[in-house]
Amino acid sequence: MESPSLPVTAKDWTSTSLHRVLCMQGGEGDVSYVNNSDSQALAITLSKPILISSLQSIKLFTSPLIRIADLGCATGSNTFDTVDTVVETLRGLFTAVYGDGSPDNDFNMLFRLLFEKQKVDSCKYFAGGVAGSFYDRLFPRGTIHVAVSLSALHWLSKIPEKVLEKGSRTWNKGKTWIEGTKKEVVDAYAEQSDKDLDDFLKCRKEEMVEGGVLFVLMGGRPSGSSSQFGDQDTRAKHPFTTTMEQAWQDLIDEGLIDEETRDGFNIPAYMRSPEEVAAGVDRIGGFKIEKMEYMKIVEYSDEKHEEWKKDPVSYGRARTNLVQAAIRPMVEAYLGPDLCDELFKRYENRVSTTREFLHITCFFGVVAFSAIRLG
């Protein structure tokens, strides 16, 4: 079968169009992020003590106006939950300093859900949306008191150009991500990761007030691990690894795409270690890390595990919804909607028929840290 024409070339998609499609799947359907973000919600819950501790240990109230920025928020309630935590913690501190009253709130919010939330909450939220990437400047100098970034900073600003150089040692041939690939490819991703982290921190350094709190929760890997993961079961079962590679190969074997098309697609994600994060903070300066932790988030509950053991087809569908929520906009922009559907059909079939997946557990590693903006 002749391969259909693709919407964009690999080079154009990588160098000029990625920022337009690097987002979570919208809407409220089965594959939407809003219905496939339970693990992110658990990570946020487990990391909240780090955020609260940092907020409680500083004095931000040189004025009654407190500005909070959520950098890279996606669709769903996770943004509200975290910003609620920030607001409630600050309200308690504000009351202790100024007596009765509440600080004003000004932070990025999900506008479609905002109105519904305002109707049921006694607290009013004053929201502003700022266009642009958090790898660039978004706010005036010295205006932000609290900046949070949740489950976003592991997404890179671009695919390293080196991994698309055919025939080079850094060419990521035969793969769509970096787990299990050549060291040179991983190093190219690590180099891009360092640059992106530096850009992120430089911008926040300019935007935040002295004494402000920066809180970041991102995909991460454990200290000392050369792999993106910390255990073999996770390496085998992670949504971006074995099954994803098999689904792309199925399209090739069936003549729907050629190898060059597969080799042109790379997932722009990198899981930093705590040491890499600390090194970035040291390079840029202006921040003092208060606390940093690596945590493992289980992929699903024990109840779901037992339920899916009895119904592998439902498990395959749920797993496919999860991965589509994360990368479908990118895949669809690259392949077009029809081939995108075909890819995820193959993915779902692979998961549903790999029964050993139901007997091993995958963990999502995260790194959470809080830092204070120094004078």
Side-chain angles (χ1 to χ4, degrees), residues 217-270:
L217 172 68
M218 71 183 95
R221 71 181 195 275
S223 298
S225 173
S226 59
S227 164
Q228 291 283 284
F229 311 113
D231 64 275
Q232 182 57 46
D233 285 350
T234 296
R235 283 193 287 273
K237 196 179 179 184
H238 191 276
F240 293 170
T241 57
T242 306
T243 309
M244 180 60 65
E245 304 293 352
Q246 291 170 338
W248 281 90
Q249 187 62 46
D250 286 341
L251 294 189
I252 295 171
D253 294 342
E254 295 170 34
L256 294 174
I257 64 172
D258 54 28
E259 289 189 4
E260 184 177 357
T261 299
R262 186 266 316 280
D263 294 342
F265 183 86
N266 285 266
I267 297 173
Y270 182 83

Side-chain angles (χ1 to χ4, degrees), residues 233-234 237-239 297-300 319 360-364:
D233 285 350
T234 296
K237 196 179 179 184
H238 191 276
I297 310 301
V298 68
E299 61 178 332
Y300 46 66
R319 191 73 173 179
I360 62 176
T361 301
C362 172
F363 293 92
F364 298 106

Side-chain angles (χ1 to χ4, degrees), residues 72-191:
C73 62
T75 305
S77 63
N78 289 347
T79 290
F80 293 113
D81 291 344
T82 302
V83 175
D84 281 348
T85 298
V86 174
V87 170
E88 292 305 315
T89 303
L90 293 180
R91 178 181 287 110
L93 296 174
F94 182 92
T95 301
V97 174
Y98 289 105
D100 293 338
S102 299
D104 292 330
N105 314 309
D106 186 8
F107 46 85
N108 293 338
M109 190 55 74
L110 307 176
F111 291 102
R112 195 178 65 78
L113 299 177
L114 176 62
F115 179 71
E116 298 175 11
K117 184 169 180 62
Q118 285 180 324
K119 288 192 298 185
V120 299
D121 277 4
S122 58
C123 169
K124 277 195 173 182
Y125 285 49
F126 299 91
V130 179
S133 165
F134 55 48
Y135 291 121
D136 298 321
R137 281 285 301 276
L138 296 170
F139 305 102
R141 185 186 303 273
T143 57
I144 302 301
H145 297 86
V146 179
V148 298
S149 179
L150 308 172
S151 301
L153 201 55
H154 52 274
W155 294 107
L156 302 180
S157 65
K158 60 184 291 188
I159 305 295
E161 294 179 5
K162 294 178 181 179
V163 306
L164 296 176
E165 294 175 356
K166 296 180 182 179
S168 70
R169 293 183 63 84
T170 54
W171 184 24
N172 199 22
K173 180 175 173 54
K175 307 283 288 185
T176 59
W177 197 43
I178 57 174
E179 181 61 24
T181 193
K182 295 176 294 185
K183 179 180 183 301
E184 290 84 357
V185 177
V186 178
D187 289 345
Y189 265 73
E191 181 180 337

